């Protein structure tokens, strides 16, 4: 009797595991959206950095974060110093049965480079393909690439009209997208200093101001989720000199259902300030 009960219990547990959704934890919400797009109903996705009013660089893991990561079958995080706390957590807790995807390693970006790799649409294609491989959902890749087509068409059209445009930014968030558009991003050293939570030096600040006051930059991008006195001052200078100012977000706002919707919205803003629509 007892043996029969244990056999039934074991069978029930096995079936439950087979049909249970794969638990995916994405540290950044834009990676979580891609995971859900690929996995569909067969995955349950939780994203940690999802508050649009939160500064991702100042995030501190709490008990809920530790618990979420401990329950993950697949963990996705950015790397490149953007979310160092994840690796510290993994070193302490260890997750031998969890599949870990460090997106920076996946696309081969070296330490010290601009960490905002999700602003390169090709990053998302590589991540989608990897997730489809892990989840055994090869058909999802074709659907994903089809969903990316409007974004690629928009980038291509904008690139054709504005190739070589010089722009600047208070942070390096938009850097990879600017590269996709064929634009020249000025003041990269200033941006990386800010990303590393340091204060730009006098030379970097002077060069940044010159890019605005002398009209070298046609657009100034700033992080609308993180405002500091230096970024506000640059915005003020840009406006006084007739430079277009565009706020972009570091994480994906809730009201955009997909990565493509988010990027298309930001590109549409840029088209408007450049008088292209």
């Amino acid at each position: 009797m007892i043996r029969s009960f244990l056999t039934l219990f074991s069978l029930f547990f096995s079936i439950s595991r087979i049909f249970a959704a794969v638990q995916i934890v994405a540290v950044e919400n834009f990676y979580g959206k891609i995971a859900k797009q690929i996995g569909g109903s067969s995955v349950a996705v939780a994203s940690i950095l999802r508050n649009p009013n939160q500064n991702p660089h100042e995030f501190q893991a709490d008990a809920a974060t530790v618990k979420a990561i401990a329950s993950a079958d697949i963990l996705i995080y950015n790397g490149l110093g953007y979310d160092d706390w994840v690796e510290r957590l993994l070193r302490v807790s260890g997750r031998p049965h969890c599949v870990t995807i460090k997106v920076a390693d996946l696309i081969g970006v070296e330490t010290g480079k601009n960490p905002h790799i999700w602003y390169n649409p090709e990053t998302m294609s590589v991540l989608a393909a990897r997730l489809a491989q892990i989840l055994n959902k090869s058909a999802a890749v074709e659907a994903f690439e089809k969903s990316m087509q409007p974004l690629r068409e928009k980038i291509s059209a904008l690139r054709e009209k504005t190739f070589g445009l010089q722009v600047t930014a208070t942070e390096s968030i938009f850097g990879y997208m600017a590269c996709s558009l064929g634009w020249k991003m000025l003041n990269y050293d200033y941006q990386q200093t800010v990303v590393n939570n340091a204060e730009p030096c006098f030379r970097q600040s002077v060069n940044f101001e010159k890019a605005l006051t002398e009209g070298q930059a046609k657009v100034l991008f700033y992080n609308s989720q993180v405002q500091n006195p230096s970024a506000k001052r640059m915005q003020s200078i840009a406006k006084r000199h007739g430079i277009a100012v565009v706020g972009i977000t570091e994480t994906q706002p809730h009201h955009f259902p997909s990565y493509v919707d988010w990027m298309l919205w930001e590109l549409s803003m840029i088209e408007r300030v450049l008088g292209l629509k």
Side-chain angles (χ1 to χ4, degrees), residues 25-27 47-50 54 59-72 75 85-86 89:
V25 172
V27 172
S47 296
I48 294 171
L49 296 177
R50 60 183 185 279
Q54 178 182 48
F59 179 80
Q60 299 286 329
D62 56 13
T65 304
V66 174
K67 184 178 179 182
I69 289 179
S71 66
L75 172 65
W85 56 269
V86 178
L89 200 60

Side-chain angles (χ1 to χ4, degrees), residues 17-118:
R17 288 296 298 170
I18 289 170
F19 290 102
V22 175
Q23 303 295 312
I24 299 179
V25 172
V27 172
E28 292 81 12
N29 70 343
F30 34 83
Y31 294 143
K33 293 284 188 181
I34 301 296
K36 189 63 182 173
Q37 198 170 341
I38 294 298
S41 60
S42 67
V43 300
V45 180
S47 296
I48 294 171
L49 296 177
R50 60 183 185 279
N51 183 349
N53 299 316
Q54 178 182 48
N55 182 350
H57 301 280
E58 296 177 352
F59 179 80
Q60 299 286 329
D62 56 13
T65 304
V66 174
K67 184 178 179 182
I69 289 179
S71 66
D73 298 309
I74 301 173
L75 172 65
I76 308 169
Y77 69 105
N78 190 70
L80 295 171
Y82 190 77
D83 39 21
D84 277 348
W85 56 269
V86 178
E87 293 179 348
R88 289 196 295 273
L89 200 60
L90 290 175
R91 280 196 293 271
V92 172
S93 62
R95 295 283 295 122
H97 304 298
C98 173
V99 176
T100 301
I101 302 176
K102 183 178 180 180
V103 181
D105 287 351
L106 190 65
I107 62 170
V109 175
E110 299 172 354
T111 302
K113 299 292 185 183
N114 181 355
H116 305 99
I117 49 180
W118 58 94

Side-chain angles (χ1 to χ4, degrees), residues 94-266:
R95 295 283 295 122
H97 304 298
C98 173
V99 176
T100 301
I101 302 176
K102 183 178 180 180
V103 181
D105 287 351
L106 190 65
I107 62 170
V109 175
E110 299 172 354
T111 302
K113 299 292 185 183
N114 181 355
H116 305 99
I117 49 180
W118 58 94
Y119 261 81
N120 179 354
E122 301 316 309
T123 298
M124 299 315 205
S125 285
V126 175
L127 174 61
R130 176 63 180 138
L131 284 166
Q133 181 188 39
I134 294 169
L135 298 169
N136 194 25
K137 285 182 169 288
S138 56
V141 176
E142 186 178 345
F144 178 80
E145 288 304 319
K146 188 176 181 181
S147 77
M148 290 284 281
Q149 194 56 31
L151 176 58
R152 291 202 168 97
E153 290 173 357
K154 174 68 76 176
I155 290 171
S156 178
L158 195 50
R159 180 185 173 96
E160 189 174 331
K161 294 176 184 174
T162 61
F163 185 84
L165 188 75
Q166 293 195 142
V167 300
T168 191
T170 56
E171 291 188 36
S172 55
I173 297 173
F174 199 74
Y176 290 104
M177 182 60 81
C179 184
S180 297
L181 292 164
W183 295 356
K184 182 178 181 181
M185 179 61 77
L186 306 174
N187 312 115
Y188 180 73
D189 56 345
Y190 177 103
Q191 298 162 31
Q192 282 299 89
T193 301
V194 172
V195 166
N196 292 324
N197 293 321
E199 192 66 26
C201 68
F202 177 74
R203 176 186 57 77
Q204 291 171 334
S205 295
V206 168
N207 288 341
F208 200 116
E209 290 186 25
K210 282 177 65 178
L212 300 174
T213 58
E214 296 180 1
Q216 299 165 19
K218 303 305 177 189
V219 181
L220 167 66
F221 294 98
Y222 71 95
N223 183 353
S224 61
Q225 290 178 254
V226 180
Q227 288 280 38
N228 57 55
S230 176
K232 289 179 179 177
R233 191 166 67 85
M234 294 304 177
Q235 291 170 53
S236 178
I237 293 171
K239 289 174 182 174
R240 285 203 306 273
H241 288 81
I243 308 295
V245 176
V246 177
I248 56 173
T249 61
E250 192 160 1
T251 54
Q252 184 170 329
H254 294 300
H255 55 282
F256 292 116
S258 74
Y259 171 79
V260 169
D261 292 321
W262 176 32
M263 291 293 113
L264 286 176
W265 175 73
E266 296 205 332

